Amino acid sequence: MADSDSKQTTFKRVMLKISGEALMGDQGYGLHPPTVERIAREVKSVHDMGVEICMVIGGGNIFRGLQGSAQGMERTTADYMGMLATVMNALAMQAALESLGVFTRVISAIPMDQVCEPYIRRRAVRHLEKARVCIFAAGTGNPYFTTDTAATLRANEMACEAIFKGTKVDGVYDKDPMKHDDAVRYDTISYDDCLAKHLKVMDASAIALARDNSLPIIVFSLDEPGGFKGILAGEGTYTIVR
């Protein structure tokens, strides 16, 4: 541990938001266990630095409420199905983390006591203080709200110092870097510019909630090995929305 001093972080408690699609690897649907394990190892590496970690995982790899609604399903029902998908992803991540020796709690906004805890803010804070990873599932428990908004809400409630948004690219660009070779990455960008330019960092409700509470959003590539830990140690490539 000769380089331990260089790996110190100024963050004590953070929220990691990842999409459900991040868990499906290259298979296009569902859960890919090696990918889940890889992400769990990334989380463990940050947990080992002494950082308290909250997580919110989307459900788009299993079911996406908006897509169901677009295909004729009643929106509220579709959104509740999406919330249940996030619980499945949270349980998978819990299993992966605990296999690595990281104590983890899945906390659901929709009560389902046989598989996870109900959301009680003070209890969740206590879990974090005891160095347990808290995975918040089932969104906010309400339809018409995305998991981006749920992550921002829980991050504020848990007094997190930043939201880390893990994506397929290493920051926020002025246009899709997967489609445009001349896309330019921002080192920093304001909440208002994200909203005005319709940059797909998070949905508008989440960005506005982060702005109103001065909660920075750090966008980085989840596909970069060691990226999460590197950013907390002051290294790597990312964009800060603030």
Side-chain angles (χ1 to χ4, degrees):
M1 296 295 290
D3 65 342
S4 60
D5 289 342
S6 66
K7 298 299 183 186
Q8 296 302 307
T9 174
T10 58
F11 292 102
K12 181 175 180 356
R13 181 179 296 168
V14 300
M15 166 65 73
L16 175 63
K17 167 61 172 71
I18 61 177
S19 67
E21 287 89 345
L23 304 184
M24 67 187 185
D26 296 327
Q27 62 189 16
Y29 181 81
L31 288 157
H32 183 237
T35 299
V36 176
E37 182 181 349
R38 177 181 64 79
I39 295 172
R41 290 188 182 280
E42 294 278 328
V43 174
K44 181 181 186 300
S45 70
V46 171
H47 183 267
D48 289 346
M49 297 169 72
V51 179
E52 297 171 2
I53 302 173
C54 308
M55 293 183 70
V56 168
I57 307 171
N61 57 320
I62 298 171
F63 188 87
R64 186 178 290 279
L66 276 173
Q67 290 178 352
S69 178
Q71 294 172 14
M73 185 178 293
E74 194 269 325
R75 172 67 187 272
T76 303
T77 299
D79 278 356
Y80 278 123
M81 291 174 68
M83 291 179 216
L84 295 177
T86 72
V87 176
M88 295 170 68
N89 285 338
L91 291 172
M93 183 57 65
Q94 179 186 41
L97 284 166
E98 294 199 330
S99 73
L100 299 173
V102 179
F103 293 112
T104 307
R105 295 291 185 271
V106 173
I107 301 171
S108 172
I110 298 174
M112 47 185 84
D113 296 346
Q114 289 178 302
V115 294
C116 48
E117 293 185 8
Y119 176 68
I120 300 171
R121 190 188 68 84
R122 290 174 63 90
R123 181 188 291 177
V125 170
R126 188 68 178 132
H127 285 320
L128 292 170
E129 291 171 348
K130 290 184 175 181
R132 297 165 183 157
V133 172
C134 288
I135 307 176
F136 296 105
T140 65
N142 300 287
Y144 295 94
F145 288 93
T146 67
T147 50
D148 281 345
T149 302
T152 310
L153 173 65
R154 297 293 185 236
N156 280 306
E157 289 181 299
M158 295 297 108
C160 291
E161 294 159 315
I163 299 175
F164 282 74
K165 175 73 183 287
T167 68
K168 293 185 177 297
V169 294
D170 58 356
V172 180
Y173 286 77
D174 61 347
K175 49 191 167 185
D176 190 343
M178 300 291 192
K179 299 177 181 177
H180 303 277
D181 293 336
D182 60 342
V184 177
R185 185 181 61 80
Y186 299 98
D187 286 330
T188 62
I189 188 169
S190 70
Y191 305 109
D192 288 336
D193 281 346
C194 278
L195 292 169
K197 295 178 181 179
H198 302 287
L199 300 176
K200 295 180 180 179
V201 179
M202 290 177 136
D203 68 78
S205 297
I207 293 173
L209 183 59
R211 178 194 62 195
D212 293 348
N213 292 278
S214 301
L215 181 67
I217 304 167
I218 298 172
V219 183
F220 71 105
S221 173
L222 199 64
D223 293 336
E224 183 70 29
F228 186 24
K229 179 179 180 180
I231 293 168
L232 281 156
E235 304 163 0
T237 304
Y238 53 91
T239 298
I240 301 180
V241 183
R242 60 187 174 193

